[in-house]
Amino acid sequence: MTSWSLDLSLPDWLEVPTEPFDIDLWRASVTDVFELLVTFDAQLDRAIILPGPLLDVSAALDLLLEFSRSLPTGVHLVAGLTVPGRWPLPVIVEVSETAEDPVDLLDTVGARSDDAIELPIVEYLPDHLGDGIRVTRFDLDEAGVLWATVTCARRGDGADTVLTWRTTDLELVALFSADLETLMEGVRIGMNA
């Protein structure tokens, strides 16, 4: 099994725990951080860039924890806190051993699926991140709601790393997509992870 870890830090990224964990202690600590970030956004008028609803910290934490608990074992949830007035933005992080006969990264991230309403946008990750791509695709759900899915995938060190973020707030796509590259940089693979 491939060993890996997340090398992340506040105030940009927050790893959401799964149980068993001292959830009460985590909630108390994160509530303090979130309240400081809300105050910071307000003081600098940063939220004017993308005015959003006032954050209900307790409800946001409930949703993040519920989302994290719903993920399979070994898959992690990280919340992006980098977009003023629009955080937390949940990103799924999954690392798996590269198969002996690996699937093409484009297939891994659904870039060749016929479900998208238009051709996905495929971009290469910067060289320092290794062999990887970022794919943005747009899909309609059963209710007719347009979703953007941004997926970064990297293959290296015997592992495939896939980050997935979905949103119906299309304005965020251009603002947050590049931040996934920073998150990818924080995924450490190997014996010393």
Side-chain angles (χ1 to χ4, degrees):
M1 177 157 225
T2 301
S3 63
W4 62 283
S5 66
L6 293 168
D7 182 13
L8 307 170
S9 62
L10 289 166
D12 294 334
W13 300 101
L14 172 71
E15 186 174 359
V16 183
T18 55
E19 296 178 300
F21 194 82
D22 188 340
I23 297 298
D24 292 335
L25 176 61
W26 181 84
R27 282 186 75 101
S29 301
V30 174
T31 296
D32 291 344
V33 170
F34 276 21
E35 287 174 353
L36 282 171
L37 287 173
V38 168
T39 302
F40 185 65
D41 279 353
Q43 287 174 346
L44 294 181
D45 282 336
R46 293 189 327 157
I48 292 173
I49 299 167
L50 283 176
L54 189 60
L55 180 69
D56 180 336
V57 172
S58 181
L61 293 178
D62 287 343
L63 286 171
L64 289 172
L65 287 166
E66 182 181 343
F67 191 175
S68 181
R69 288 184 196 114
S70 73
L71 296 174
T73 302
V75 178
H76 292 264
L77 185 68
V78 173
L81 310 176
T82 56
V83 182
R86 296 293 182 88
W87 51 269
L89 301 173
V91 180
I92 297 170
V93 180
E94 186 170 5
V95 178
S96 58
E97 289 185 19
T98 302
E100 221 172 278
D101 185 16
V103 174
D104 187 281
L105 285 180
L106 289 170
D107 290 319
T108 300
V109 299
R112 293 193 173 120
S113 169
D114 294 332
D115 298 336
I117 61 172
E118 61 184 38
L119 285 175
I121 301 163
V122 179
E123 302 165 279
Y124 289 99
L125 294 180
D127 289 342
H128 72 279
L129 292 177
D131 180 19
I133 55 175
R134 183 174 70 210
V135 174
T136 306
R137 54 178 283 149
F138 298 93
D139 303 275
L140 286 174
D141 66 15
E142 292 177 359
V145 176
L146 183 62
W147 284 85
T149 303
V150 182
T151 308
C152 288
R154 171 180 71 182
R155 178 167 287 149
D157 299 320
D160 290 353
T161 304
V162 179
L163 312 178
T164 305
W165 169 63
R166 298 189 76 212
T167 185
T168 57
D169 189 344
L170 303 183
E171 191 176 22
L172 287 175
V173 174
L175 294 166
F176 187 62
S177 294
D179 290 348
L180 295 179
E181 295 174 6
T182 305
L183 176 56
M184 181 69 82
E185 201 167 354
V187 178
R188 304 285 186 225
I189 310 290
M191 298 300 291
N192 298 320

